[in-house]
Amino acid sequence: MNKLFYLLLIPFSLIILYVVPTSFISIIYAEVFEFNEEDYYASDQSISEKNPANSEDIDKENCINNQETSVLQTQTSPDSDTYLNNFHFIKKFDREGNLVDSWGTVGSNDGQFLHAHGITVDLQDNVYVSDGENCNIQKFDKNGNFITKWGTKGIGPGKFLQPESMAVDSLNNIYVAEYSGKNIQKFDSDGKFLKMWGKEGEKIGEFKKPWGVALDSKDNVYVSDQALPRVQKFDSDGNFITMWGKEGSKKGQFVHQHDITVDSNDYVYVTDGRQNSRVAVFDSDGKFLKMWGSEGSKKGQFIEDHGIVVDTEGNIYVVDTRNVRVQKFDSDGNFITMWGSLGCKDDQFLIPHDIAMDSEGYIYVTDSGKSHFRANYDCNQGNNKI
């Protein structure tokens, strides 16, 4: 009986020796290097995927009521006043990456954010910022002075569950990609609702997770979809024109798109932020032109590239989120420079997301302000664990 017991104990012990260290290593890797997607994309499952008819679900699962995943929960501490005063969600740089200004503290009042995400600039250099947890759009002048805001929690005209990227047309109208509401909404520069199109689905004019939105010189609207490997093109009233892309890693294919932008030649740039880790460029009809980038942390590589913008000289600026930096390239995709590092100072980032540029060439970057995926720490003075 004893011999049988020991014979059974040997393979069981070997399993324990293998599983425990492997699990332990996996936990350490996930904690130190990997992005906590379950926490970050707390609103990733839309109401329509859960229970579209239940308004109580909207109250419980989205926006400001989702406090368990907001910066108020993940980053406050006994020294929270220091955090409120020191951390800013909007960072303004010159084209070489030198910090110029910053603003936006944690909260839900004017000029405050819980999850600053999308950013764009209008023809008068006013700055618009979407907040994925306060469910609104805020408008500032170029110096960060609050002007107005709009948006309430919900599904429908002027309502948001998770507003993401934005773009401005030649008449200063603002287009918002509503990630969880599966639509594109159009407003004037004061926030007056003008139009909305799209619903959940995979047919023409439908979306799964619309993330990026951009306008060309004719005010045509381009939308990238995080869950569908395609770009759709519409006129400014939301009428479908064309689309392109399919799943894969070859030319003209996508795996996980994030943002989209259009340059002065009406070339369309798309960040394909996971697995492909690259920037792809197309003409306005969807013809593939070029691409660059690969997964990694070296110059010209990306780990989760998000926001993208092009200056008047054709230089491209890409927010490299997991590498906590912004990279600058020439028009051919050759690396020029980069800036940013993990930290709580205004010239550093926690989770940089979107990027925009004004008429003077100044660059604005949103930082969501949540605890970083590479370390468990907050931005309270004396409590940084970088």
Side-chain angles (χ1 to χ4, degrees):
M1 180 70 179
N2 288 338
K3 289 183 179 180
L4 179 61
F5 173 77
Y6 287 119
L7 287 173
L8 292 172
L9 183 62
I10 290 172
F12 180 76
S13 300
L14 290 174
I15 292 172
I16 293 296
L17 287 171
Y18 174 77
V19 171
V20 172
T22 303
S23 301
F24 180 74
I25 291 171
S26 299
I27 292 170
I28 294 296
Y29 183 85
E31 184 69 27
V32 177
F33 294 104
E34 286 298 300
F35 183 52
N36 187 347
E37 293 185 60
E38 182 178 356
D39 174 65
Y40 175 69
Y41 291 110
S43 302
D44 202 17
Q45 282 187 308
S46 72
I47 295 304
S48 59
E49 292 170 338
K50 295 179 179 180
N51 187 353
N54 192 338
S55 61
E56 291 184 1
D57 286 345
I58 297 176
D59 290 338
K60 293 178 181 178
E61 300 296 337
N62 292 276
C63 307
I64 195 171
N65 286 312
N66 193 11
Q67 293 291 340
E68 69 273 12
T69 58
S70 77
V71 292
L72 297 178
Q73 294 294 320
T74 59
Q75 286 193 272
T76 51
S77 79
D79 194 21
S80 60
D81 286 342
T82 304
Y83 167 70
L84 293 174
N85 293 330
N86 282 3
F87 182 85
H88 295 112
F89 289 81
I90 311 303
K91 323 292 182 80
K92 181 178 179 179
F93 303 90
D94 65 20
R95 289 194 282 184
E96 302 307 315
N98 299 302
L99 183 71
V100 175
D101 196 3
S102 61
W103 72 83
T105 56
V106 64
S108 300
N109 296 321
D110 296 348
Q112 294 185 324
F113 304 94
L114 291 181
H115 185 86
H117 195 285
I119 192 164
T120 194
V121 179
D122 69 17
L123 303 179
Q124 282 73 47
D125 288 341
N126 296 308
V127 181
Y128 302 78
V129 184
S130 65
D131 191 324
E133 289 190 33
N134 278 324
C135 292
N136 61 27
I137 309 298
Q138 295 195 62
K139 177 181 179 180
F140 305 86
D141 67 20
K142 63 182 179 181
N143 297 315
N145 298 305
F146 175 84
I147 298 175
T148 189
K149 67 181 178 183
W150 70 88
T152 58
K153 179 182 57 182
I155 298 175
K159 297 181 179 182
F160 306 109
L161 297 180
Q162 194 173 337
E164 296 286 351
S165 297
M166 298 175 292
V168 179
D169 68 17
S170 62
L171 299 176
N172 261 358
N173 296 314
I174 314 299
Y175 298 75
V176 183
E178 219 301 82
Y179 181 88
S180 291
K182 322 296 185 185
N183 59 54
I184 302 298
Q185 297 196 43
K186 179 180 178 181
F187 304 86
D188 70 14
S189 60
D190 295 320
K192 179 184 176 182
F193 175 82
L194 300 176
K195 197 171 187 65
M196 178 176 74
W197 71 88
K199 63 178 182 178
E200 184 175 12
E202 299 183 15
K203 297 178 181 178
I204 288 174
E206 297 178 339
F207 308 106
K208 289 281 252 185
K209 295 178 180 178
W211 186 285
V213 60
L215 277 290
D216 66 17
S217 63
K218 299 177 181 178
D219 286 344
N220 293 311
V221 184
Y222 302 79
V223 182
S224 59
D225 196 315
Q226 192 182 76
L228 290 174
R230 68 187 187 189
V231 172
Q232 293 193 73
K233 179 180 178 180
F234 306 87
D235 67 19
S236 59
D237 290 322
N239 298 304
F240 176 82
I241 297 175
T242 189
M243 67 180 179
W244 68 87
K246 61 181 181 179
E247 186 173 4
S249 297
K250 297 180 180 179
K251 295 178 179 180
Q253 297 180 339
F254 308 107
V255 172
H256 195 96
Q257 302 150 275
H258 278 126
D259 211 355
I260 189 168
T261 196
V262 180
D263 68 14
S264 58
N265 297 312
D266 284 346
Y267 293 154
V268 181
Y269 298 71
V270 182
T271 53
D272 195 0
R274 296 184 193 172
Q275 297 183 41
N276 284 338
S277 299
R278 68 191 184 195
V279 175
V281 188
F282 306 85
D283 68 15
S284 60
D285 295 319
K287 178 183 177 182
F288 174 84
L289 300 177
K290 57 190 170 185
M291 63 185 181
W292 71 88
S294 60
E295 186 174 8
S297 299
K298 297 179 181 179
K299 296 176 180 179
Q301 294 184 320
F302 307 104
I303 301 180
E304 192 92 12
D305 46 321
H306 272 77
I308 185 169
V309 70
V310 184
D311 67 22
T312 55
E313 298 174 358
N315 298 309
I316 301 103
Y317 304 77
V318 183
V319 178
D320 188 2
T321 299
R322 294 201 194 192
N323 282 323
V324 203
R325 65 191 183 185
V326 174
Q327 295 195 67
K328 178 181 179 180
F329 304 88
D330 66 19
S331 58
D332 292 321
N334 299 308
F335 175 85
I336 297 176
T337 189
M338 63 183 178
W339 69 87
S341 61
L342 175 61
C344 301
K345 297 179 181 179
D346 281 339
D347 60 353
Q348 296 178 309
F349 303 110
L350 289 180
I351 305 181
H353 264 128
D354 207 359
I355 189 169
M357 180 175 288
D358 66 20
S359 65
E360 297 178 318
Y362 289 113
I363 296 167
Y364 303 80
V365 180
T366 54
D367 193 335
S368 78
K370 290 194 176 184
S371 296
H372 194 268
F373 40 76
R374 277 166 50 183
N376 182 20
Y377 70 98
D378 61 35
C379 279
N380 300 306
Q381 190 176 36
N383 197 22
N384 300 333
K385 302 173 184 178
I386 300 174

